[in-house]
Amino acid sequence: MAHVLGAAGLAASFASQAIAEEVGNIGVDWAGNDIVIEAIADPDVSGVTCHLAYFQRGLIDRLANGNWFEDPSNSAIECQQTGPITLGQIDRSHSGEDVFRASRSIIFKSLRVKRIYDEANRTLIYVAHARELTQGSAKVSISTVPIGPATGRAAD
């Protein structure tokens, strides 16, 4: 049931954003809790792939602890160059833009990956964080991808 709820939430949140492909699933305990690892290709920057790991509660954990419709905000991200980097029409503001978003609860919480372009240092910054209705979330993970001279400025 937990996987069905998670998959439904993920599928509903993919409109106009990157699509994640599950590449790993680690069983954590006897209660069915898992760490899921997904590959996410940046839809507006070719040549960059991020791997996002997050905790997914199992059915037994949901039954034992209540809170049926919510997963923890914990996540980790690592991004790297996987081909020649070409910057598309990306948001170059200081607030950046969402690359990926997945629901972590039935209504009010989502796991997001945001991209910010540090033009002065020619670096893409990817930040994984939860967005919650109240009090936000202090759980943040960051990864950077340098855009070196070998990729050429013509791609900008």
Side-chain angles (χ1 to χ4, degrees), residues 28-82:
V28 175
D29 57 26
W30 62 269
N33 296 316
D34 295 330
I35 296 172
V36 178
I37 301 110
E38 296 178 333
I40 304 165
D42 188 323
D44 296 320
V45 179
S46 64
V48 174
T49 302
C50 296
H51 289 90
L52 180 67
Y54 59 89
F55 188 82
Q56 187 172 56
R57 292 174 55 218
L59 179 60
I60 294 172
D61 187 24
R62 290 174 192 276
L63 288 170
N65 296 314
N67 203 358
W68 283 83
F69 303 108
E70 187 171 356
D71 278 320
S73 300
N74 303 3
S75 64
I77 191 166
E78 181 63 37
C79 302
Q80 66 180 356
Q81 181 175 355
T82 53

Side-chain angles (χ1 to χ4, degrees), residues 66-112:
N67 203 358
W68 283 83
F69 303 108
E70 187 171 356
D71 278 320
S73 300
N74 303 3
S75 64
I77 191 166
E78 181 63 37
C79 302
Q80 66 180 356
Q81 181 175 355
T82 53
I85 294 177
T86 304
L87 298 180
Q89 296 297 319
I90 65 171
D91 183 335
R92 294 175 183 242
S93 70
H94 286 281
S95 59
E97 65 186 311
D98 282 345
V99 174
F100 172 79
R101 183 177 16 183
S103 177
R104 301 306 284 154
S105 74
I106 198 158
I107 298 175
F108 300 118
K109 187 196 298 188
S110 62
L111 174 60
R112 296 180 176 211

